[in-house]
Amino acid sequence: MSLDTMAGALSQFHFIRPWWLVALPLVALFWWYVRWSGRDKPALPKGIAPHLGEALSVGAGASVRVLPIDGVCVAIALLFAGAAGPTWSRLPDPLVSDIAPLVIVLKVSDSMQQTDVPPNRLERAKQKITDLLDRRAGARTALVAYAGSAHQVVPPTEDPGVLKPFLEGLSPDVMPREGESAARALPLAEEILARQETPGAILFVLDRLSDADGPALARHASDGGTPLLFWQMSRAPRDQTGFARPLAERPIEVSVDSSDVDQVMRRIEANYQEALSRDERQSWRDQGWLFALPAAFITLLWFRRGWTMRWSVWLVAALVSLSTTDARADSWRDWFLTSDQQGQMAFRDRNFTEAARLFEDHEWKAYALYRSGQYDAAAELYSWQESSTAAVGEGVSLIRSRKYREAIAAFEKAVERDPKNALAHHNLELAIHILNYVETTREQSDTGEVSGIGADDVVFDNDAGRGEESTAAQPMGDVLPETADIWMRSVDTRAGDFLKSRFALEAARSEP
C-alpha cells in the first residue's frame, strides 16, 4: 500500500459496530484478575519446613512472563475488535465500474517538441500514456488535447485500442491556436467527468504550467473540485515549470522505467477511494476478518501442553454450537472466509470468472458475470431480481449482447420500479439512441440485396417507413459514451488530418 493510500485509509478508519468495543475493558479486567490472582503461592502441607517446601516446588525460582490467560484474552480481544467491524473504505456500486474514470489532458504545443526527454517531450508523453492505458484496460478513459484552445479527442471509452490511434495523431500542427492554456482544458475535463457515475480524476500530462493558469487552478482547489494530477514531461527544475506553486500538487516526474506509471496508478486509486468514502449511498467494507487471522494463530497455542484452560473448552463448544450444522469447508479459505468474501478477493484481483463462481450474493454474482463477458447469463440473473438497479443491470447486459429492444424494455422496467432512478432514465435514452442510430445506419446502407445478409447478421424491421431519407445526421461533438466506439471506427481518414479539421471547426464555432 502506498503512502498516499495509507494516509487516506487512516483518515477514514472507524468501526461500523463500535458497541462491541465496550467488551474490551471487561476482557482487560478479567485478564488482570486471573493473571494476578494466581501469583499467591499455595500453602505448604503441614509438617514440611518452609525451606524444604520451596526446594521441592517446581519453578519456584523462575518468574513466569507469559501465561495461558494472556493468549486467551488477546484472542478474545481480537475477536471483539473484529466483530466491531473496522473499516476504512466503502464498497463500490456493483452496477458501475470499480475503477476510477480518468480524463487525460495532454499538452500539444511547440514546447513539447524539446528533446531533453528523448525522443522529445510529446513522444515520450504518448509512450507513457500508452503504458497507462494498458494498465487501465477496462476502465473508462477520455483524452483532451490543449494548446491555445482545448478539445476533446476521445470521449470516455473502456477500449484502449480506440484511443491509441488518435493519441498518435496528435501534434502541434493539428492544434488551431498556439499557446499553452491549461485553464481552458480544465472546465472541459470537468464536464466530461460530470457525466460519469463514479468519481474520477484529471491527469495533466505537460512540461510546465503557465503563469496564467495559476488563478484557475487556485479556484479549482479552493472549491474542492475534481482531484488534479500532474505528470511532468521535462527535466527542467520545478521552480522553472510553475509546479513550485502551493496551488499545484507535487508533479510526478517522468522516469526511464515504469515507476512513474506505478505512481500515477497509486494516486488515481487513492483519490478514488477518498472520493468514494464521501459517497453516503455506498456501504462500508467490513474488514473484521483481518482480526480473525491473528486470533486463529494465537488459538493454536491452546493445544500446547500446559496451556490448556479447561473453561476455554466450554467457550469453544459454545462457539461451535452457534455455527450452522450444514457448513462445510472444501479448502483452508472456507475456514476463515465466506463465499462472498472469497468472491470479493477474486473480484479485486480482476479474476471475474472465478468471482462469479464464488459469489452467493445474486447482485454481485450477476455483476461478476457481466465483467467476465458472460452478458446473457448476467442478464438472466438480473431479470430474477426485483430491484430497479437490477433491471438497470439487466439492460446494460443486454446492450452488451446487442439486444437493444430487450434492453429498452429492461430500462423501462427499471424506471417503472423507481421513477427517481437517474441512471435508469439515462440508460433508457441511451439505448433508444443506439437503436435509432443502428437502424438508420442499416437502412441507409441497405441495397435491397438479400444475398448480402449473412446467417449471423442482425436484421431490423422497416415497417414504420424508416430509411426513406437519403441522408442522416452523423453524431458529432458530444458523443454518447456507448456509441463512442462506433463513431471512432467510422473515421476512415488519417487521424491527424481528421483531428486538425475537427479542432479547427470547433475553434471557429467558439469564436464570438
Side-chain angles (χ1 to χ4, degrees):
M1 181 182 291
S2 65
L3 293 178
D4 295 332
T5 305
M6 186 178 298
L10 290 176
S11 64
Q12 300 296 331
F13 181 84
H14 67 282
F15 290 93
I16 302 175
R17 298 172 293 274
W19 54 85
W20 282 95
L21 300 178
V22 176
L24 293 181
L26 300 178
V27 174
L29 182 62
F30 176 71
W31 169 81
W32 179 85
Y33 173 78
V34 175
R35 187 72 158 79
W36 300 105
S37 64
R39 297 187 64 186
D40 298 334
K41 296 182 179 180
L44 295 174
K46 293 182 179 180
I48 298 180
H51 66 284
L52 293 177
E54 186 170 348
L56 294 174
S57 300
V58 178
S63 63
V64 180
R65 297 182 180 274
V66 180
L67 295 178
I69 189 61
D70 300 337
V72 170
C73 286
V74 169
I76 294 175
L78 288 172
L79 292 176
F80 277 125
T87 184
W88 52 86
S89 62
R90 290 185 184 269
L91 288 169
D93 190 337
L95 291 180
V96 297
S97 175
D98 62 326
I99 303 178
L102 179 69
V103 178
I104 300 176
V105 181
L106 176 61
K107 182 180 180 181
V108 187
S109 64
D110 292 335
S111 67
M112 292 289 286
Q113 300 282 49
Q114 298 184 27
T115 58
D116 57 333
V117 179
N120 61 52
R121 296 175 178 177
L122 182 58
E123 291 303 317
R124 177 54 65 89
K126 292 179 181 179
Q127 295 170 6
K128 290 295 184 178
I129 292 174
T130 300
D131 294 341
L132 180 64
L133 292 175
D134 292 336
R135 296 276 294 274
R136 284 176 48 84
R140 302 188 71 82
T141 306
L143 178 61
V144 170
Y146 80 93
S149 58
H151 307 272
Q152 176 181 266
V153 181
V154 179
T157 177
E158 298 178 0
D159 186 0
V162 174
L163 194 148
K164 290 177 183 178
F166 293 89
L167 175 65
E168 292 299 325
L170 289 174
S171 69
D173 295 337
V174 308
M175 304 305 293
R177 297 174 184 169
E178 296 182 357
E180 45 183 290
S181 178
R184 291 180 179 272
L186 181 59
L188 177 58
E190 285 191 293
E191 181 182 353
I192 295 172
L193 280 179
R195 296 194 293 265
Q196 303 304 305
E197 295 89 354
T198 54
I202 300 173
L203 173 64
F204 281 88
V205 184
L206 69 173
D207 54 352
R208 66 190 181 194
L209 287 171
S210 66
D211 294 335
D213 295 328
L217 296 176
R219 287 193 301 271
H220 180 86
S222 62
D223 294 341
T226 304
L228 302 181
L229 306 177
F230 299 90
W231 204 348
Q232 181 181 353
M233 295 293 157
S234 73
R235 298 295 185 187
R238 292 183 63 214
D239 56 357
Q240 298 179 14
T241 58
F243 291 115
R245 301 187 188 94
L247 57 90
E249 183 177 341
R250 183 179 180 87
I252 300 168
E253 298 180 358
V254 63
S255 64
V256 297
D257 55 12
S258 61
S259 59
D260 53 346
V261 182
D262 296 335
Q263 192 174 356
V264 171
M265 291 291 293
R266 288 194 297 267
R267 289 201 187 180
I268 293 173
E269 175 63 21
N271 288 327
Y272 172 68
Q273 293 296 337
E274 181 180 356
L276 189 65
S277 66
R278 297 193 296 267
D279 189 351
E280 299 296 336
R281 298 171 299 175
Q282 307 305 324
S283 302
W284 289 99
R285 189 192 305 274
D286 193 339
Q287 303 284 5
W289 63 274
L290 293 174
F291 287 81
L293 298 180
F297 176 77
I298 293 174
T299 54
L300 293 178
L301 298 175
W302 181 66
F303 297 96
R304 187 166 179 254
R305 185 175 181 180
W307 283 73
T308 302
M309 304 187 71
R310 285 172 295 191
W311 60 267
S312 63
V313 177
W314 297 103
L315 176 62
V316 173
L319 293 175
V320 172
S321 65
L322 293 175
S323 62
T324 56
T325 57
D326 57 348
R328 52 190 296 262
D330 296 326
S331 67
W332 66 269
R333 292 176 181 269
D334 297 323
W335 288 93
F336 305 103
L337 303 173
T338 66
S339 297
D340 287 334
Q341 289 172 334
Q342 295 178 52
Q344 287 283 356
M345 294 175 63
F347 194 92
R348 286 197 297 270
D349 293 337
R350 306 189 66 78
N351 189 354
F352 302 121
T353 302
E354 179 66 12
R357 185 187 67 83
L358 291 170
F359 273 126
E360 293 182 355
D361 183 275
H362 289 170
E363 189 174 13
W364 276 100
K365 189 179 188 70
Y367 184 54
L369 288 170
Y370 170 81
R371 293 299 300 272
S372 65
Q374 304 177 60
Y375 303 124
D376 291 335
E380 182 179 1
L381 187 55
Y382 274 128
S383 66
W384 287 93
Q385 302 176 41
E386 299 295 333
S387 65
S388 177
T389 54
V392 172
E394 179 187 358
V396 173
S397 301
L398 291 169
I399 283 284
R400 291 293 187 177
S401 298
R402 302 190 179 186
K403 299 177 180 178
Y404 304 119
R405 296 186 186 277
E406 293 89 337
I408 291 174
F411 292 134
E412 289 175 344
K413 180 171 58 176
V415 172
E416 181 181 353
R417 291 176 177 177
D418 183 7
K420 297 182 180 180
N421 191 334
L423 185 61
H425 285 282
H426 170 75
N427 282 284
L428 176 58
E429 296 176 3
L430 188 62
I432 295 173
H433 176 88
I434 294 174
L435 179 60
N436 290 335
Y437 175 73
V438 171
E439 287 187 339
T440 301
T441 304
R442 166 77 63 172
E443 292 159 3
Q444 293 187 357
S445 61
D446 187 9
T447 61
E449 297 179 3
V450 180
S451 59
I453 301 176
D456 295 330
D457 289 342
V458 180
V459 181
F460 296 93
D461 295 332
N462 196 22
D463 296 335
R466 297 174 57 87
E468 295 177 359
E469 298 291 337
S470 59
T471 60
Q474 179 72 11
M476 297 291 289
D478 187 15
V479 181
L480 292 172
E482 293 293 341
T483 61
D485 297 353
I486 300 174
W487 173 62
M488 290 300 177
R489 292 191 174 95
S490 68
V491 179
D492 55 4
T493 59
R494 193 167 65 88
D497 295 337
F498 170 74
L499 292 175
K500 183 176 182 179
S501 60
R502 184 162 70 87
F503 290 172
L505 180 61
E506 291 176 356
R509 289 176 177 173
S510 64
E511 291 180 354

